[in-house]
Amino acid sequence: MAIANNKTKAKLKKASKPQVKKILKSKDNKKSKTVSKALKNKKQATKAQTKSLVNKSLKSSSTIKSNSSKIIKNNFLNIKINGKDYKVKKGSTILEACRVAGIEIPTLCFLKDINEIGACRMCVVEVKGAKALVTSCVYPCNEGIEITTDSKTVIESRKKTLELLLSNHKMECLSCIRSGECELQTLCKELGVEDQYKYAGSMTASNLDESSAHMIRDNSKCILCRRCVAICEKVQGVGVIGPNKRGFNTFIGSHFDKGLGETSCISCGQCINVCPTGALYEKSDIDKIFELIKDPTKKVIVQTAPAVRAAIAEEFGYPIGTKGEGKMVAGLRRLGFTYVFDTDFAADLTIMEEAYELIDRIKNNGVLPMITSCSPGWIKYCEAYYPDLLPHLSTCKSPQQMFGAMIKTYFVKKMGWKVEDVVSVSVMPCTAKKFEIQRDDESAAGKGNPDLDYTMTTRELARMMKKAGINWDLLPEEKFDEPLGISTGAGVIFGASGGVMEAAIRTAVDVLTGKDMKNLDYKQVRGIDGIREATLKIGKLDVKVAITSSMSNAKILLNKIREGKADYHFIEIMGCPGGCINGGGQPQVPAFIRNTTDYRQKRAKVLYDYDKSMQYRKSHKNPIIKQVYKEFLEKPNSHIAHKILHTSYQKREKT
């Protein structure tokens, strides 16, 4: 026959629709070869022979179409939801099937591929023939299943679950940091919970855990959804929190009831991002910053990270993927900061130091692969879990710390100020920055003068603006102050996973080739996939690189280095999945959006769009970077550059 042998038929029976198309075009399908042969040899063949060959081919094509329809049909199920007929893919859960039908079933514990445990019981539905209500997030659809999502029994069950959760929940909604953005509060409103004290009684004992540098845990508002546990263990690969005790006394905490600050927590804040209530939140210094701004003897200088502009508008009701740079700058000015600068300037500085450090290691047999050092959560992880690999880390400070160091050395000297009168503040997408500013060897201006005095998250800046009565909608578009507000597209893309790598490559290629290369978009290193690898031609060198984000993925690369199987030259690691655009201090994304929308790509697109629009797109092309080296730093990796812009690391006990 002109089609498929038995092997191909077996493949077709199991294949999905895209796979069917692929198989039909493969070498196992002889149809195309048969037709080709008939047409090619028609001069030698008789008309009858040619017609016979083509007819066989057409007959087999009809068979293929028939088989393909059966396969496609077999990949779908016929189901009923609330009395209406739907087709859904095989393997779908009821929750997924209902979303296809445009019905959003409430959840409090569910996170797709991360926390699918059916623990909160909010997603219950009726299934015809089932003895009791079933949890839709884990219950699979089958042919002919009949589901009811809106019966009185279902609604009352969900409502009662909320009332029971509230019975063990500290009711401080008006003063709670998550008021208006709390998933528990939202569901109570949607389901019409009127008596929040209906089942009032004893409550599980709890205390505030304020032991860590970056966050506070308030278990009196915890609903035991275990999202924080799942993301810490499965995504970040740290696993320092989990459920302690049993029954009514269950609480989320660390082993042996230790405070979070006594563990190997990496301060990434991903647990805060997924918490549905106000049980987890960052430590805040915005009241202190307000006071310092009003102090006439102080000059309070602020810098903002690239990822902040890609997300801050969300805090004011704008869609994910809205640009926010201009209004953010205007808002910071109205808060009263002396200067509003761009961390991207220091990102350009980081690239100069890091690219030249990489080139030096490659040329002089230094420790390879070299790994980026911009993410303080990743650095803390390496110090605790892989201290033997610390020599692989770039010695460059992060852009935040470089900027703070330059403010308190170069800029203070240029302005004729006393360093004691300057307060250095940053706005970051990252909670680990709160830990980083307390690290040793981060005081370029001398002991007692840290590079950064305060750092706040994107969320905190939004709260600060709201507290000051600043109306985001009415703000004009303004530009950063000069000179340290001038940056390049290379600095902007630092906020997305792969951005540091791409920025470094843009400079390294020019340095090694001695040419001004026109190809600036290294798309092979972009994206949010777990681990990305590429071999890049830089001059005469084949430079092998790898990019990853989240510590569970980093662990794979680090183990390869330990085993001597990593032949990379350069590795970029970011502590948070997707990079800084998904940092622990970014606007919180409700679970139903997190589960169904690629919000990280939307934020990353903002940064790449900014990059394309910039006058300068390579760090070494930044005129202020050139000026700073000429006036102060001499050259990349010089003695003074090392003193001010580089740091050291230490082994930490893993607990």
Side-chain angles (χ1 to χ4, degrees), residues 255-273:
H255 52 280
F256 306 117
D257 290 349
K258 285 186 175 182
L260 198 59
E262 302 173 76
T263 72
S264 299
C265 167
I266 64 171
S267 305
C268 68
Q270 287 300 308
C271 56
I272 303 175
N273 275 4

Side-chain angles (χ1 to χ4, degrees), residues 217 219 222 224-226 228-229 241-244 250-254:
R217 174 183 291 282
N219 272 341
C222 176
L224 298 176
C225 68
R226 291 167 171 75
C228 59
V229 177
I241 51 175
N244 290 343
T250 303
F251 69 94
I252 303 298
S254 304

Side-chain angles (χ1 to χ4, degrees), residues 631-649:
E631 294 179 353
F632 187 60
L633 294 173
E634 298 174 0
K635 63 179 181 178
N637 282 220
S638 67
H639 175 73
I640 188 170
H642 262 275
K643 182 180 178 182
I644 293 170
L645 305 178
H646 292 247
T647 188
S648 58
Y649 309 107

Side-chain angles (χ1 to χ4, degrees), residues 129-194:
K131 293 180 180 179
L133 298 179
V134 303
T135 47
S136 63
C137 67
V138 293
Y139 199 96
C141 291
N142 51 59
E143 180 67 26
I145 191 172
E146 295 186 28
I147 304 157
T148 304
T149 69
D150 57 0
S151 69
K152 184 178 179 181
T153 302
V154 168
I155 301 300
E156 286 302 315
S157 175
R158 293 174 184 169
K159 188 175 178 180
K160 183 167 285 189
T161 295
L162 289 172
E163 290 167 340
L164 289 168
L165 286 172
L166 292 175
S167 72
N168 197 35
H169 188 80
K170 192 173 183 181
M171 240 63 90
E172 292 179 337
C173 293
L174 288 177
S175 58
C176 180
I177 200 165
R178 289 293 298 275
S179 184
E181 298 175 337
C182 169
E183 293 180 44
L184 177 64
Q185 185 185 57
T186 299
L187 289 179
C188 285
K189 184 177 179 180
E190 289 177 355
L191 287 164
V193 173
E194 296 171 351

Side-chain angles (χ1 to χ4, degrees), residues 612-641:
K612 286 180 181 178
S613 68
M614 303 286 279
Q615 180 180 358
Y616 307 105
R617 296 185 64 196
K618 299 175 182 178
S619 296
H620 58 286
K621 295 289 185 180
N622 185 334
I624 304 304
I625 291 291
K626 293 178 182 179
Q627 180 182 327
V628 164
Y629 276 107
K630 183 178 179 180
E631 294 179 353
F632 187 60
L633 294 173
E634 298 174 0
K635 63 179 181 178
N637 282 220
S638 67
H639 175 73
I640 188 170

Side-chain angles (χ1 to χ4, degrees), residues 200-216:
S202 298
M203 295 178 69
T204 306
S206 64
N207 295 301
L208 283 180
D209 179 5
E210 301 179 88
S211 61
S212 66
H214 70 294
M215 65 173 275
I216 295 172

Side-chain angles (χ1 to χ4, degrees), residues 357-371 391-392 561 566-571:
E357 183 182 2
L358 174 63
I359 292 167
D360 180 68
R361 290 195 190 198
I362 291 173
K363 286 184 174 180
N364 298 304
N365 297 316
V367 177
L368 293 173
M370 189 178 88
I371 312 177
H392 288 271
I561 296 173
D567 60 345
Y568 311 111
H569 294 91
F570 194 27
I571 297 175

